[in-house]
Amino acid sequence: MTQESAVPGPVLLCIDLQAVFLKAIPQHEMLVRRCALAIEAAQGLGLAVAFTEQVPQKLGATLPELRALAPQAPQLGKAAFSALADDGIRDTLQRLNADHLLLCGLETPVCVYQTAIDALGAGTPVTLLSDCLGARRSDDAHDALEALRRSGANILPSETIFYSLLRDIHHPFFKGYTQLVKKYG
């Protein structure tokens, strides 16, 4: 499926999944696995995917193994912490007809938090995939997520979200999705 779509829908925005940041995240291997599940699920459901990268020319690109799961997805460099503070990222999300953002990545109390707050402020619904978020300090992440919940963000596990998008076992991607759930455990 092409990344550009005439029909508005959710977009999976993968925030700053760069090796330099992941190394500082406890249990980053599990985070990478859960993000891989989310990327493959989004692709299987025909949702657009986009990757943001914090100053990639200095800090490196998205992990190649994650990038390979959605090779047509745009890679969008940024200097601001909020992805939505960047005109190019906002323009890309508009071209992708994003009417809801599904967020995964890091760091929860910084870039994820600021992106979610900006999206909510612009009237765009936000769902944070709770098992696909990382932070150096879990207490900071917890506080940021609680603030986002009070601000109107949905915070749920990725499997909850993707099963909700499937709706029932008759969806053409149901069997493929259940295989992904088994693969990424």
Side-chain angles (χ1 to χ4, degrees), residues 47-131:
L47 304 181
V49 175
F51 297 94
T52 71
E53 299 170 341
Q54 188 72 29
V55 194
Q57 60 276 22
K58 290 184 181 181
L59 301 173
T62 299
L63 280 184
E65 59 263 40
L66 293 177
R67 183 76 185 102
L69 298 174
Q72 288 79 33
Q75 281 177 275
L76 307 161
K78 65 184 183 69
F81 300 121
S82 170
L84 299 183
D86 183 278
D87 291 339
I89 294 173
R90 282 195 318 273
D91 291 346
T92 298
L93 292 173
Q94 186 173 13
R95 278 195 309 278
L96 294 173
N97 292 304
D99 69 356
H100 191 122
L101 290 182
L102 304 176
L103 300 182
C104 70
L106 40 105
E107 184 173 3
T108 303
V110 184
C111 296
V112 172
Y113 173 82
Q114 290 186 35
T115 300
I117 285 293
D118 283 354
L120 291 167
T124 303
V126 174
T127 299
L128 293 102
L129 305 180
S130 59
D131 57 322

Side-chain angles (χ1 to χ4, degrees), residues 2-26:
T2 171
Q3 284 288 308
E4 302 218 13
S5 169
V7 179
V11 171
L12 177 65
L13 187 60
C14 304
I15 299 175
D16 304 347
L17 290 165
Q18 298 157 266
V20 68
F21 297 129
L22 284 161
K23 285 188 272 187
I25 304 298

